[in-house]
PDB file of all heavy atoms in Angstrom:
ATOM      1  N   VAL P  77       0.890  -1.175  -0.027  1.00 98.00           N
ATOM      2  CA  VAL P  77       0.094  -0.012  -0.030  1.00 98.00           C
ATOM      3  C   VAL P  77       0.830   1.237   0.007  1.00 98.00           C
ATOM      4  O   VAL P  77       2.062   1.115   0.270  1.00 98.00           O
ATOM      5  CB  VAL P  77      -0.883   0.033   1.238  1.00 98.00           C
ATOM      6  CG1 VAL P  77      -1.846  -1.179   1.307  1.00 98.00           C
ATOM      7  CG2 VAL P  77      -0.087   0.098   2.566  1.00 98.00           C
ATOM      8  N   PHE P  78       0.269   2.431  -0.359  1.00 97.00           N
ATOM      9  CA  PHE P  78       0.995   3.659  -0.245  1.00 97.00           C
ATOM     10  C   PHE P  78       0.123   4.765   0.313  1.00 97.00           C
ATOM     11  O   PHE P  78      -1.091   4.705   0.095  1.00 97.00           O
ATOM     12  CB  PHE P  78       1.688   4.049  -1.528  1.00 97.00           C
ATOM     13  CG  PHE P  78       0.857   4.574  -2.601  1.00 97.00           C
ATOM     14  CD1 PHE P  78       0.595   6.040  -2.710  1.00 97.00           C
ATOM     15  CD2 PHE P  78       0.246   3.784  -3.489  1.00 97.00           C
ATOM     16  CE1 PHE P  78      -0.312   6.497  -3.565  1.00 97.00           C
ATOM     17  CE2 PHE P  78      -0.647   4.358  -4.520  1.00 97.00           C
ATOM     18  CZ  PHE P  78      -0.797   5.728  -4.570  1.00 97.00           C
ATOM     19  N   GLY P  79       0.744   5.633   1.005  1.00 97.00           N
ATOM     20  CA  GLY P  79       0.048   6.797   1.582  1.00 97.00           C
ATOM     21  C   GLY P  79       0.854   8.088   1.487  1.00 97.00           C
ATOM     22  O   GLY P  79       2.018   8.094   1.043  1.00 97.00           O
ATOM     23  N   ARG P  80       0.298   9.253   1.811  1.00 97.00           N
ATOM     24  CA  ARG P  80       0.919  10.477   1.786  1.00 97.00           C
ATOM     25  C   ARG P  80       0.465  11.367   2.912  1.00 97.00           C
ATOM     26  O   ARG P  80      -0.502  11.156   3.524  1.00 97.00           O
ATOM     27  CB  ARG P  80       0.652  11.173   0.354  1.00 97.00           C
ATOM     28  CG  ARG P  80      -0.784  11.476   0.057  1.00 97.00           C
ATOM     29  CD  ARG P  80      -0.958  12.149  -1.218  1.00 97.00           C
ATOM     30  NE  ARG P  80      -0.752  13.597  -1.153  1.00 97.00           N
ATOM     31  CZ  ARG P  80      -0.307  14.352  -2.131  1.00 97.00           C
ATOM     32  NH1 ARG P  80      -0.270  13.767  -3.363  1.00 97.00           N
ATOM     33  NH2 ARG P  80      -0.055  15.621  -1.962  1.00 97.00           N
ATOM     34  N   ILE P  81       1.232  12.359   3.143  1.00 96.00           N
ATOM     35  CA  ILE P  81       0.939  13.333   4.062  1.00 96.00           C
ATOM     36  C   ILE P  81       1.427  14.687   3.505  1.00 96.00           C
ATOM     37  O   ILE P  81       2.502  14.774   2.993  1.00 96.00           O
ATOM     38  CB  ILE P  81       1.588  13.045   5.523  1.00 96.00           C
ATOM     39  CG1 ILE P  81       1.240  13.895   6.619  1.00 96.00           C
ATOM     40  CG2 ILE P  81       3.105  13.037   5.391  1.00 96.00           C
ATOM     41  CD1 ILE P  81       1.689  13.546   7.968  1.00 96.00           C
ATOM     42  N   GLU P  82       0.605  15.751   3.707  1.00 93.00           N
ATOM     43  CA  GLU P  82       0.973  17.026   3.319  1.00 93.00           C
ATOM     44  C   GLU P  82       1.688  17.670   4.478  1.00 93.00           C
ATOM     45  O   GLU P  82       1.408  17.652   5.612  1.00 93.00           O
ATOM     46  CB  GLU P  82      -0.364  17.883   3.078  1.00 93.00           C
ATOM     47  CG  GLU P  82      -1.161  17.385   1.886  1.00 93.00           C
ATOM     48  CD  GLU P  82      -0.372  17.479   0.539  1.00 93.00           C
ATOM     49  OE1 GLU P  82       0.421  18.426   0.450  1.00 93.00           O
ATOM     50  OE2 GLU P  82      -0.670  16.800  -0.356  1.00 93.00           O
ATOM     51  N   THR P  83       2.814  18.348   4.079  1.00 88.00           N
ATOM     52  CA  THR P  83       3.595  18.955   5.146  1.00 88.00           C
ATOM     53  C   THR P  83       3.230  20.394   5.315  1.00 88.00           C
ATOM     54  O   THR P  83       2.531  21.018   4.415  1.00 88.00           O
ATOM     55  CB  THR P  83       5.153  18.980   4.698  1.00 88.00           C
ATOM     56  OG1 THR P  83       5.319  19.761   3.476  1.00 88.00           O
ATOM     57  CG2 THR P  83       5.624  17.584   4.393  1.00 88.00           C
ATOM     58  N   ASP P  84       3.579  20.940   6.446  1.00 81.00           N
ATOM     59  CA  ASP P  84       3.284  22.363   6.805  1.00 81.00           C
ATOM     60  C   ASP P  84       3.936  23.330   5.848  1.00 81.00           C
ATOM     61  O   ASP P  84       3.555  24.438   5.478  1.00 81.00           O
ATOM     62  CB  ASP P  84       3.706  22.690   8.258  1.00 81.00           C
ATOM     63  CG  ASP P  84       2.915  21.872   9.260  1.00 81.00           C
ATOM     64  OD1 ASP P  84       1.761  21.482   8.856  1.00 81.00           O
ATOM     65  OD2 ASP P  84       3.389  21.718  10.391  1.00 81.00           O
ATOM     66  N   GLU P  85       5.111  22.929   5.250  1.00 80.00           N
ATOM     67  CA  GLU P  85       5.944  23.798   4.482  1.00 80.00           C
ATOM     68  C   GLU P  85       5.377  23.725   3.005  1.00 80.00           C
ATOM     69  O   GLU P  85       5.825  24.412   2.037  1.00 80.00           O
ATOM     70  CB  GLU P  85       7.355  23.359   4.442  1.00 80.00           C
ATOM     71  CG  GLU P  85       7.981  23.532   5.778  1.00 80.00           C
ATOM     72  CD  GLU P  85       7.677  22.303   6.671  1.00 80.00           C
ATOM     73  OE1 GLU P  85       7.285  21.362   6.253  1.00 80.00           O
ATOM     74  OE2 GLU P  85       7.895  22.471   7.901  1.00 80.00           O
ATOM     75  N   GLY P  86       4.486  22.844   2.746  1.00 79.00           N
ATOM     76  CA  GLY P  86       3.958  22.551   1.353  1.00 79.00           C
ATOM     77  C   GLY P  86       4.682  21.351   0.722  1.00 79.00           C
ATOM     78  O   GLY P  86       5.805  21.097   1.027  1.00 79.00           O
ATOM     79  N   GLY P  87       3.952  20.754  -0.151  1.00 87.00           N
ATOM     80  CA  GLY P  87       4.454  19.499  -0.719  1.00 87.00           C
ATOM     81  C   GLY P  87       3.974  18.238   0.017  1.00 87.00           C
ATOM     82  O   GLY P  87       3.548  18.348   1.166  1.00 87.00           O
ATOM     83  N   ALA P  88       4.236  17.164  -0.441  1.00 93.00           N
ATOM     84  CA  ALA P  88       3.833  15.834   0.125  1.00 93.00           C
ATOM     85  C   ALA P  88       5.005  15.042   0.431  1.00 93.00           C
ATOM     86  O   ALA P  88       6.018  15.063  -0.187  1.00 93.00           O
ATOM     87  CB  ALA P  88       2.834  15.081  -0.854  1.00 93.00           C
ATOM     88  N   GLU P  89       4.813  14.116   1.492  1.00 96.00           N
ATOM     89  CA  GLU P  89       5.690  13.105   1.801  1.00 96.00           C
ATOM     90  C   GLU P  89       5.047  11.766   1.596  1.00 96.00           C
ATOM     91  O   GLU P  89       3.758  11.680   1.740  1.00 96.00           O
ATOM     92  CB  GLU P  89       6.174  13.168   3.299  1.00 96.00           C
ATOM     93  CG  GLU P  89       6.954  14.387   3.568  1.00 96.00           C
ATOM     94  CD  GLU P  89       7.329  14.495   5.129  1.00 96.00           C
ATOM     95  OE1 GLU P  89       6.765  13.820   5.893  1.00 96.00           O
ATOM     96  OE2 GLU P  89       8.387  15.269   5.394  1.00 96.00           O
ATOM     97  N   TYR P  90       5.717  10.733   1.119  1.00 98.00           N
ATOM     98  CA  TYR P  90       5.085   9.494   0.773  1.00 98.00           C
ATOM     99  C   TYR P  90       5.745   8.374   1.583  1.00 98.00           C
ATOM    100  O   TYR P  90       6.922   8.313   1.921  1.00 98.00           O
ATOM    101  CB  TYR P  90       5.282   9.290  -0.678  1.00 98.00           C
ATOM    102  CG  TYR P  90       4.643  10.178  -1.579  1.00 98.00           C
ATOM    103  CD1 TYR P  90       5.222  11.387  -2.044  1.00 98.00           C
ATOM    104  CD2 TYR P  90       3.353   9.873  -2.011  1.00 98.00           C
ATOM    105  CE1 TYR P  90       4.589  12.201  -2.884  1.00 98.00           C
ATOM    106  CE2 TYR P  90       2.670  10.794  -2.912  1.00 98.00           C
ATOM    107  CZ  TYR P  90       3.246  11.939  -3.293  1.00 98.00           C
ATOM    108  OH  TYR P  90       2.641  12.831  -4.071  1.00 98.00           O
ATOM    109  N   GLN P  91       4.797   7.328   1.791  1.00 98.00           N
ATOM    110  CA  GLN P  91       5.265   6.096   2.517  1.00 98.00           C
ATOM    111  C   GLN P  91       4.685   4.912   1.660  1.00 98.00           C
ATOM    112  O   GLN P  91       3.462   4.954   1.322  1.00 98.00           O
ATOM    113  CB  GLN P  91       4.946   5.991   3.948  1.00 98.00           C
ATOM    114  CG  GLN P  91       5.512   4.751   4.563  1.00 98.00           C
ATOM    115  CD  GLN P  91       5.055   4.588   5.958  1.00 98.00           C
ATOM    116  OE1 GLN P  91       5.113   3.435   6.459  1.00 98.00           O
ATOM    117  NE2 GLN P  91       4.589   5.537   6.612  1.00 98.00           N
ATOM    118  N   ILE P  92       5.394   3.901   1.479  1.00 98.00           N
ATOM    119  CA  ILE P  92       5.024   2.596   0.913  1.00 98.00           C
ATOM    120  C   ILE P  92       5.258   1.561   1.954  1.00 98.00           C
ATOM    121  O   ILE P  92       6.301   1.553   2.545  1.00 98.00           O
ATOM    122  CB  ILE P  92       5.745   2.401  -0.478  1.00 98.00           C
ATOM    123  CG1 ILE P  92       5.274   3.423  -1.404  1.00 98.00           C
ATOM    124  CG2 ILE P  92       5.279   0.997  -1.006  1.00 98.00           C
ATOM    125  CD1 ILE P  92       6.185   3.416  -2.695  1.00 98.00           C
ATOM    126  N   ALA P  93       4.296   0.593   2.086  1.00 98.00           N
ATOM    127  CA  ALA P  93       4.416  -0.329   3.157  1.00 98.00           C
ATOM    128  C   ALA P  93       3.737  -1.658   2.846  1.00 98.00           C
ATOM    129  O   ALA P  93       2.779  -1.656   2.003  1.00 98.00           O
ATOM    130  CB  ALA P  93       3.976   0.249   4.500  1.00 98.00           C
ATOM    131  N   SER P  94       4.055  -2.741   3.535  1.00 98.00           N
ATOM    132  CA  SER P  94       3.344  -3.949   3.403  1.00 98.00           C
ATOM    133  C   SER P  94       1.973  -3.860   3.899  1.00 98.00           C
ATOM    134  O   SER P  94       0.970  -4.494   3.342  1.00 98.00           O
ATOM    135  CB  SER P  94       4.043  -5.088   4.212  1.00 98.00           C
ATOM    136  OG  SER P  94       5.367  -5.406   3.623  1.00 98.00           O
ATOM    137  N   GLU P  95       1.739  -3.098   4.945  1.00 98.00           N
ATOM    138  CA  GLU P  95       0.293  -3.033   5.447  1.00 98.00           C
ATOM    139  C   GLU P  95       0.042  -1.632   5.846  1.00 98.00           C
ATOM    140  O   GLU P  95       0.958  -0.755   6.170  1.00 98.00           O
ATOM    141  CB  GLU P  95       0.227  -3.881   6.798  1.00 98.00           C
ATOM    142  CG  GLU P  95       0.397  -5.374   6.490  1.00 98.00           C
ATOM    143  CD  GLU P  95       0.285  -6.189   7.812  1.00 98.00           C
ATOM    144  OE1 GLU P  95      -0.546  -5.708   8.681  1.00 98.00           O
ATOM    145  OE2 GLU P  95       0.873  -7.239   7.935  1.00 98.00           O
ATOM    146  N   SER P  96      -1.230  -1.283   5.863  1.00 98.00           N
ATOM    147  CA  SER P  96      -1.776   0.022   6.130  1.00 98.00           C
ATOM    148  C   SER P  96      -1.415   0.531   7.489  1.00 98.00           C
ATOM    149  O   SER P  96      -1.365   1.795   7.804  1.00 98.00           O
ATOM    150  CB  SER P  96      -3.230   0.168   5.800  1.00 98.00           C
ATOM    151  OG  SER P  96      -4.015  -0.667   6.626  1.00 98.00           O
ATOM    152  N   VAL P  97      -1.333  -0.400   8.449  1.00 97.00           N
ATOM    153  CA  VAL P  97      -1.057  -0.021   9.866  1.00 97.00           C
ATOM    154  C   VAL P  97       0.159   0.846  10.026  1.00 97.00           C
ATOM    155  O   VAL P  97       0.362   1.673  10.901  1.00 97.00           O
ATOM    156  CB  VAL P  97      -1.002  -1.212  10.777  1.00 97.00           C
ATOM    157  CG1 VAL P  97       0.141  -2.154  10.369  1.00 97.00           C
ATOM    158  CG2 VAL P  97      -1.065  -0.889  12.295  1.00 97.00           C
ATOM    159  N   ALA P  98       1.158   0.488   9.134  1.00 97.00           N
ATOM    160  CA  ALA P  98       2.422   1.281   9.197  1.00 97.00           C
ATOM    161  C   ALA P  98       2.255   2.729   8.719  1.00 97.00           C
ATOM    162  O   ALA P  98       2.953   3.718   9.072  1.00 97.00           O
ATOM    163  CB  ALA P  98       3.516   0.652   8.209  1.00 97.00           C
ATOM    164  N   LEU P  99       1.201   2.943   7.888  1.00 97.00           N
ATOM    165  CA  LEU P  99       0.812   4.323   7.574  1.00 97.00           C
ATOM    166  C   LEU P  99       0.025   5.065   8.668  1.00 97.00           C
ATOM    167  O   LEU P  99       0.279   6.227   9.113  1.00 97.00           O
ATOM    168  CB  LEU P  99      -0.011   4.276   6.272  1.00 97.00           C
ATOM    169  CG  LEU P  99       0.474   3.596   5.001  1.00 97.00           C
ATOM    170  CD1 LEU P  99      -0.529   3.706   3.824  1.00 97.00           C
ATOM    171  CD2 LEU P  99       1.894   4.132   4.529  1.00 97.00           C
ATOM    172  N   ASP P 100      -0.936   4.336   9.230  1.00 95.00           N
ATOM    173  CA  ASP P 100      -1.815   4.935  10.197  1.00 95.00           C
ATOM    174  C   ASP P 100      -1.041   5.408  11.349  1.00 95.00           C
ATOM    175  O   ASP P 100      -1.234   6.555  11.849  1.00 95.00           O
ATOM    176  CB  ASP P 100      -2.802   3.958  10.646  1.00 95.00           C
ATOM    177  CG  ASP P 100      -3.633   3.314   9.538  1.00 95.00           C
ATOM    178  OD1 ASP P 100      -3.670   4.065   8.492  1.00 95.00           O
ATOM    179  OD2 ASP P 100      -4.329   2.243   9.800  1.00 95.00           O
ATOM    180  N   THR P 101      -0.150   4.545  11.881  1.00 95.00           N
ATOM    181  CA  THR P 101       0.557   4.905  13.145  1.00 95.00           C
ATOM    182  C   THR P 101       1.524   5.974  12.976  1.00 95.00           C
ATOM    183  O   THR P 101       1.927   6.628  13.900  1.00 95.00           O
ATOM    184  CB  THR P 101       1.220   3.682  13.643  1.00 95.00           C
ATOM    185  OG1 THR P 101       2.111   3.194  12.711  1.00 95.00           O
ATOM    186  CG2 THR P 101       0.227   2.558  14.067  1.00 95.00           C
ATOM    187  N   LEU P 102       1.967   6.392  11.766  1.00 95.00           N
ATOM    188  CA  LEU P 102       2.925   7.313  11.479  1.00 95.00           C
ATOM    189  C   LEU P 102       2.285   8.632  10.843  1.00 95.00           C
ATOM    190  O   LEU P 102       2.984   9.503  10.501  1.00 95.00           O
ATOM    191  CB  LEU P 102       4.061   6.836  10.595  1.00 95.00           C
ATOM    192  CG  LEU P 102       4.883   5.744  11.218  1.00 95.00           C
ATOM    193  CD1 LEU P 102       5.887   5.183  10.180  1.00 95.00           C
ATOM    194  CD2 LEU P 102       5.642   6.256  12.450  1.00 95.00           C
ATOM    195  N   GLY P 103       0.946   8.667  10.847  1.00 95.00           N
ATOM    196  CA  GLY P 103       0.288   9.842  10.447  1.00 95.00           C
ATOM    197  C   GLY P 103       0.096  10.063   8.894  1.00 95.00           C
ATOM    198  O   GLY P 103      -0.349  11.061   8.401  1.00 95.00           O
ATOM    199  N   PHE P 104       0.404   8.998   8.134  1.00 97.00           N
ATOM    200  CA  PHE P 104       0.165   9.128   6.719  1.00 97.00           C
ATOM    201  C   PHE P 104      -1.256   8.674   6.391  1.00 97.00           C
ATOM    202  O   PHE P 104      -1.868   7.734   7.076  1.00 97.00           O
ATOM    203  CB  PHE P 104       1.136   8.225   6.031  1.00 97.00           C
ATOM    204  CG  PHE P 104       2.560   8.697   5.895  1.00 97.00           C
ATOM    205  CD1 PHE P 104       3.343   8.569   7.025  1.00 97.00           C
ATOM    206  CD2 PHE P 104       3.098   9.225   4.864  1.00 97.00           C
ATOM    207  CE1 PHE P 104       4.649   8.985   7.013  1.00 97.00           C
ATOM    208  CE2 PHE P 104       4.355   9.699   4.718  1.00 97.00           C
ATOM    209  CZ  PHE P 104       5.193   9.552   5.866  1.00 97.00           C
ATOM    210  N   GLU P 105      -1.890   9.229   5.425  1.00 97.00           N
ATOM    211  CA  GLU P 105      -3.188   8.896   4.972  1.00 97.00           C
ATOM    212  C   GLU P 105      -3.035   7.757   3.848  1.00 97.00           C
ATOM    213  O   GLU P 105      -2.318   7.910   2.894  1.00 97.00           O
ATOM    214  CB  GLU P 105      -3.870  10.082   4.402  1.00 97.00           C
ATOM    215  CG  GLU P 105      -5.256   9.890   3.793  1.00 97.00           C
ATOM    216  CD  GLU P 105      -5.956  10.978   3.140  1.00 97.00           C
ATOM    217  OE1 GLU P 105      -5.403  12.092   3.122  1.00 97.00           O
ATOM    218  OE2 GLU P 105      -7.104  10.801   2.651  1.00 97.00           O
ATOM    219  N   LEU P 106      -3.698   6.709   3.973  1.00 97.00           N
ATOM    220  CA  LEU P 106      -3.782   5.589   3.129  1.00 97.00           C
ATOM    221  C   LEU P 106      -4.405   6.169   1.767  1.00 97.00           C
ATOM    222  O   LEU P 106      -5.575   6.672   1.776  1.00 97.00           O
ATOM    223  CB  LEU P 106      -4.592   4.475   3.587  1.00 97.00           C
ATOM    224  CG  LEU P 106      -4.837   3.278   2.542  1.00 97.00           C
ATOM    225  CD1 LEU P 106      -3.483   2.708   2.195  1.00 97.00           C
ATOM    226  CD2 LEU P 106      -5.820   2.285   3.229  1.00 97.00           C
ATOM    227  N   VAL P 107      -3.735   6.122   0.647  1.00 97.00           N
ATOM    228  CA  VAL P 107      -4.148   6.578  -0.594  1.00 97.00           C
ATOM    229  C   VAL P 107      -4.932   5.421  -1.268  1.00 97.00           C
ATOM    230  O   VAL P 107      -6.126   5.447  -1.556  1.00 97.00           O
ATOM    231  CB  VAL P 107      -3.067   7.098  -1.514  1.00 97.00           C
ATOM    232  CG1 VAL P 107      -3.621   7.410  -2.974  1.00 97.00           C
ATOM    233  CG2 VAL P 107      -2.508   8.231  -0.948  1.00 97.00           C
ATOM    234  N   ARG P 108      -4.142   4.208  -1.435  1.00 97.00           N
ATOM    235  CA  ARG P 108      -4.694   3.018  -2.073  1.00 97.00           C
ATOM    236  C   ARG P 108      -3.720   1.976  -1.983  1.00 97.00           C
ATOM    237  O   ARG P 108      -2.457   2.167  -1.652  1.00 97.00           O
ATOM    238  CB  ARG P 108      -5.142   3.275  -3.424  1.00 97.00           C
ATOM    239  CG  ARG P 108      -4.083   3.771  -4.420  1.00 97.00           C
ATOM    240  CD  ARG P 108      -4.680   3.821  -5.869  1.00 97.00           C
ATOM    241  NE  ARG P 108      -3.681   4.409  -6.751  1.00 97.00           N
ATOM    242  CZ  ARG P 108      -2.778   3.728  -7.362  1.00 97.00           C
ATOM    243  NH1 ARG P 108      -2.584   2.388  -7.108  1.00 97.00           N
ATOM    244  NH2 ARG P 108      -1.854   4.284  -8.307  1.00 97.00           N
ATOM    245  N   ASP P 109      -4.056   0.674  -2.389  1.00 98.00           N
ATOM    246  CA  ASP P 109      -3.083  -0.337  -2.596  1.00 98.00           C
ATOM    247  C   ASP P 109      -2.335  -0.064  -3.880  1.00 98.00           C
ATOM    248  O   ASP P 109      -2.848   0.443  -4.902  1.00 98.00           O
ATOM    249  CB  ASP P 109      -3.751  -1.711  -2.729  1.00 98.00           C
ATOM    250  CG  ASP P 109      -4.567  -1.942  -1.438  1.00 98.00           C
ATOM    251  OD1 ASP P 109      -5.574  -1.555  -1.244  1.00 98.00           O
ATOM    252  OD2 ASP P 109      -3.987  -2.800  -0.667  1.00 98.00           O
ATOM    253  N   VAL P 110      -1.206  -0.577  -3.960  1.00 98.00           N
ATOM    254  CA  VAL P 110      -0.452  -0.739  -5.301  1.00 98.00           C
ATOM    255  C   VAL P 110      -1.031  -1.765  -6.050  1.00 98.00           C
ATOM    256  O   VAL P 110      -1.301  -2.907  -5.527  1.00 98.00           O
ATOM    257  CB  VAL P 110       1.112  -1.006  -5.049  1.00 98.00           C
ATOM    258  CG1 VAL P 110       1.791  -1.124  -6.373  1.00 98.00           C
ATOM    259  CG2 VAL P 110       1.736   0.126  -4.212  1.00 98.00           C
ATOM    260  N   ALA P 111      -1.493  -1.582  -7.268  1.00 98.00           N
ATOM    261  CA  ALA P 111      -2.192  -2.454  -8.096  1.00 98.00           C
ATOM    262  C   ALA P 111      -1.331  -3.572  -8.471  1.00 98.00           C
ATOM    263  O   ALA P 111      -0.099  -3.436  -8.726  1.00 98.00           O
ATOM    264  CB  ALA P 111      -2.857  -1.744  -9.228  1.00 98.00           C
ATOM    265  N   PRO P 112      -1.806  -4.766  -8.780  1.00 98.00           N
ATOM    266  CA  PRO P 112      -0.944  -5.827  -9.322  1.00 98.00           C
ATOM    267  C   PRO P 112      -0.343  -5.435 -10.691  1.00 98.00           C
ATOM    268  O   PRO P 112      -1.014  -4.906 -11.467  1.00 98.00           O
ATOM    269  CB  PRO P 112      -1.959  -7.053  -9.623  1.00 98.00           C
ATOM    270  CG  PRO P 112      -3.162  -6.691  -8.655  1.00 98.00           C
ATOM    271  CD  PRO P 112      -3.280  -5.174  -8.500  1.00 98.00           C
ATOM    272  N   GLY P 113       0.943  -5.707 -10.664  1.00 98.00           N
ATOM    273  CA  GLY P 113       1.715  -5.231 -11.953  1.00 98.00           C
ATOM    274  C   GLY P 113       2.063  -3.768 -12.017  1.00 98.00           C
ATOM    275  O   GLY P 113       2.760  -3.261 -12.878  1.00 98.00           O
ATOM    276  N   GLU P 114       1.657  -3.018 -11.053  1.00 98.00           N
ATOM    277  CA  GLU P 114       1.844  -1.608 -11.119  1.00 98.00           C
ATOM    278  C   GLU P 114       3.174  -1.218 -10.548  1.00 98.00           C
ATOM    279  O   GLU P 114       3.628  -1.871  -9.528  1.00 98.00           O
ATOM    280  CB  GLU P 114       0.807  -0.796 -10.163  1.00 98.00           C
ATOM    281  CG  GLU P 114       1.025   0.814 -10.293  1.00 98.00           C
ATOM    282  CD  GLU P 114      -0.024   1.527  -9.445  1.00 98.00           C
ATOM    283  OE1 GLU P 114      -0.627   0.790  -8.537  1.00 98.00           O
ATOM    284  OE2 GLU P 114      -0.163   2.668  -9.714  1.00 98.00           O
ATOM    285  N   ALA P 115       3.900  -0.139 -10.984  1.00 98.00           N
ATOM    286  CA  ALA P 115       5.051   0.418 -10.440  1.00 98.00           C
ATOM    287  C   ALA P 115       4.886   1.831 -10.025  1.00 98.00           C
ATOM    288  O   ALA P 115       4.202   2.493 -10.695  1.00 98.00           O
ATOM    289  CB  ALA P 115       6.257   0.246 -11.407  1.00 98.00           C
ATOM    290  N   ILE P 116       5.476   2.223  -9.014  1.00 98.00           N
ATOM    291  CA  ILE P 116       5.444   3.559  -8.502  1.00 98.00           C
ATOM    292  C   ILE P 116       6.805   4.083  -8.310  1.00 98.00           C
ATOM    293  O   ILE P 116       7.605   3.345  -7.802  1.00 98.00           O
ATOM    294  CB  ILE P 116       4.615   3.725  -7.144  1.00 98.00           C
ATOM    295  CG1 ILE P 116       3.145   3.523  -7.318  1.00 98.00           C
ATOM    296  CG2 ILE P 116       4.792   5.027  -6.512  1.00 98.00           C
ATOM    297  CD1 ILE P 116       2.351   3.333  -6.048  1.00 98.00           C
ATOM    298  N   PHE P 117       7.053   5.336  -8.819  1.00 98.00           N
ATOM    299  CA  PHE P 117       8.382   5.872  -8.657  1.00 98.00           C
ATOM    300  C   PHE P 117       8.251   7.335  -8.082  1.00 98.00           C
ATOM    301  O   PHE P 117       7.373   8.030  -8.541  1.00 98.00           O
ATOM    302  CB  PHE P 117       9.139   6.078 -10.039  1.00 98.00           C
ATOM    303  CG  PHE P 117      10.430   6.741  -9.780  1.00 98.00           C
ATOM    304  CD1 PHE P 117      11.475   6.159  -9.136  1.00 98.00           C
ATOM    305  CD2 PHE P 117      10.726   7.850 -10.468  1.00 98.00           C
ATOM    306  CE1 PHE P 117      12.680   6.639  -9.113  1.00 98.00           C
ATOM    307  CE2 PHE P 117      11.882   8.499 -10.286  1.00 98.00           C
ATOM    308  CZ  PHE P 117      12.898   8.004  -9.636  1.00 98.00           C
ATOM    309  N   ILE P 118       8.956   7.627  -7.034  1.00 98.00           N
ATOM    310  CA  ILE P 118       8.935   8.859  -6.368  1.00 98.00           C
ATOM    311  C   ILE P 118      10.365   9.379  -6.345  1.00 98.00           C
ATOM    312  O   ILE P 118      11.233   8.789  -5.735  1.00 98.00           O
ATOM    313  CB  ILE P 118       8.352   8.727  -4.893  1.00 98.00           C
ATOM    314  CG1 ILE P 118       7.041   8.132  -4.908  1.00 98.00           C
ATOM    315  CG2 ILE P 118       8.326  10.117  -4.299  1.00 98.00           C
ATOM    316  CD1 ILE P 118       6.521   7.604  -3.610  1.00 98.00           C
TER     317      ILE P 118
END
């Protein structure tokens, strides 16, 4: 899964993780699951 969080200074920070709980506990908003066969580059 991947999530993002908007910073106070502007712009986004991103996290990718095996499970959404890693996003929740660190303040990231779950965007969606990485789709089968999909690639994400940041």
Side-chain angles (χ1 to χ4, degrees):
V77 300
F78 76 92
R80 59 178 284 160
I81 185 172
E82 296 294 332
T83 66
D84 295 336
E85 298 79 16
E89 297 180 338
Y90 292 92
Q91 183 185 163
I92 296 169
S94 293
E95 295 183 32
S96 63
V97 65
L99 308 179
D100 303 338
T101 56
L102 296 173
F104 287 78
E105 178 185 357
L106 172 65
V107 176
R108 60 177 175 84
D109 297 84
V110 178
E114 182 184 18
I116 288 173
F117 178 69
I118 306 163

